[in-house]
Amino acid sequence: MPQILAALASGLLFGLGLVVSGMVNPAKVLGFLDLAGDWDPSLAFVMAAAIPVAALGFRLGGRMGAPLCDAAFAPPARRRIDARLLGGAALFGIGWGLAGFCPGPALASLGFGGWPVLVFVAAMLGGMGLYHLAVGARRGGATGTGPAAARPG
């Protein structure tokens, strides 16, 4: 039960941060990505503020023997930069640039974003399902963490 409550609290805090920062507004995101046009730098300040917070979390987490709500940390099984990682990053960036959404903000704006958000989330879930059918099930999962990812495949 503590894991579920911690996940709920983390998700609510993350979603609130996305809404307050404007990351759920695709026009604002596209304005940030439009370096050659009418560039909106405000999201750069949001990201810059997130860096020290994340650094502090990593620093404190590195000093702990285990996470608060689990028996052990689950670091990524794959740590090298390869074509699969670069291809996924490129696909993510292209999708973000075309739609102005990435998964977190899309889910956070489901309640008020209208049909474009529903289409994006449906396409995102469809893509996840296709990946799982084509690659993920063959590899023992798609997350790259934990024992399933360590199995040869």
Side-chain angles (χ1 to χ4, degrees):
M1 185 68 156
Q3 293 151 325
I4 293 172
L5 293 176
L8 177 64
S10 297
L12 289 173
L13 183 62
F14 181 65
L16 179 65
L18 292 172
V19 170
V20 169
S21 69
M23 290 286 290
V24 296
N25 180 355
K28 187 165 194 69
V29 172
L30 293 173
F32 170 70
L33 295 174
D34 186 9
L35 298 176
D38 189 21
W39 184 57
D40 178 359
S42 60
L43 293 183
F45 296 113
V46 172
M47 292 181 210
I51 291 171
V53 174
L56 179 64
F58 277 102
R59 180 86 164 157
L60 293 175
R63 294 181 178 183
M64 298 172 58
L68 296 176
C69 296
D70 206 350
F73 288 107
R78 300 172 57 127
R79 300 186 64 102
R80 69 180 211 276
I81 297 173
D82 58 6
R84 184 173 164 215
L85 176 66
L86 293 174
L91 188 60
F92 176 90
I94 290 167
W96 195 38
L98 289 174
F101 278 122
C102 60
L107 293 176
S109 61
L110 266 176
F112 57 86
W115 70 267
V117 177
L118 293 174
V119 170
F120 179 87
V121 170
M124 179 181 73
L125 293 174
M128 290 174 171
L130 286 174
Y131 176 84
H132 180 73
L133 289 174
V135 178
R138 206 172 61 228
R139 294 182 182 257
T143 62
T145 62
R151 288 189 299 215

